[in-house]
Amino acid sequence: QVQLVESGGGLVQAGGSLRLSCAASRNIFSIKFLGWYRQAPGKQRELVAAFTSDGSTNYGDSVKGRFAISRDNAKNTVYLQMNSLKPEDTAVYYCKAITEGRQYWGQGTQVTVSS
């Protein structure tokens, strides 16, 4: 079992940056899928960025070139560096892990980008 806790959200002006953190309750070295999703009001949850089970890194089309996912296995933490933020990036951002056939979600952190 894995508990995920996101942090780092907040209010930022368009063009600004934020770094989100997702702290896991156990060692993440063996977790094959770790990623960030987001959900804006009235919209479906969508992939932002993820480390996938085949070792690759995937990004949603709308964030390519602006966001970067990274991980620190020693700290059991996954990060999402968000640059050049736009108002349409406003959403609740969730961390997700898939391991041993089960998926786990964090509680989410709100990111609001003002124009």
Side-chain angles (χ1 to χ4, degrees):
Q1 196 170 11
V2 183
Q3 282 79 47
L4 304 170
V5 179
E6 302 96 335
S7 61
L11 174 64
V12 63
Q13 288 189 332
S17 298
L18 280 175
R19 189 177 80 155
L20 305 183
S21 300
C22 171
S25 60
R26 49 155 279 195
N27 191 300
I28 65 171
F29 180 78
S30 61
I31 296 179
K32 300 303 182 183
F33 183 96
L34 278 169
W36 289 94
Y37 286 71
R38 68 185 182 187
Q39 188 166 20
K43 295 188 176 181
Q44 289 189 328
R45 194 170 295 190
E46 63 176 359
L47 173 70
V48 177
F51 294 106
T52 60
S53 58
D54 64 359
S56 63
T57 304
N58 286 351
Y59 290 92
D61 288 341
S62 62
V63 306
K64 286 180 181 176
R66 299 188 298 124
F67 291 11
I69 189 171
S70 62
R71 64 195 290 169
D72 186 335
N73 290 339
K75 295 183 178 180
N76 298 329
T77 301
V78 180
Y79 303 98
L80 183 68
Q81 179 65 44
M82 306 186 293
N83 299 326
S84 302
L85 283 161
K86 304 175 181 180
E88 50 264 44
D89 294 318
T90 295
V92 178
Y93 284 70
Y94 298 90
C95 186
K96 177 180 178 179
I98 301 176
T99 184
E100 300 169 350
R102 298 184 63 180
Q103 62 180 18
Y104 302 89
W105 292 92
Q107 82 290 349
T109 185
Q110 176 71 46
V111 172
T112 303
V113 184
S114 64
S115 57

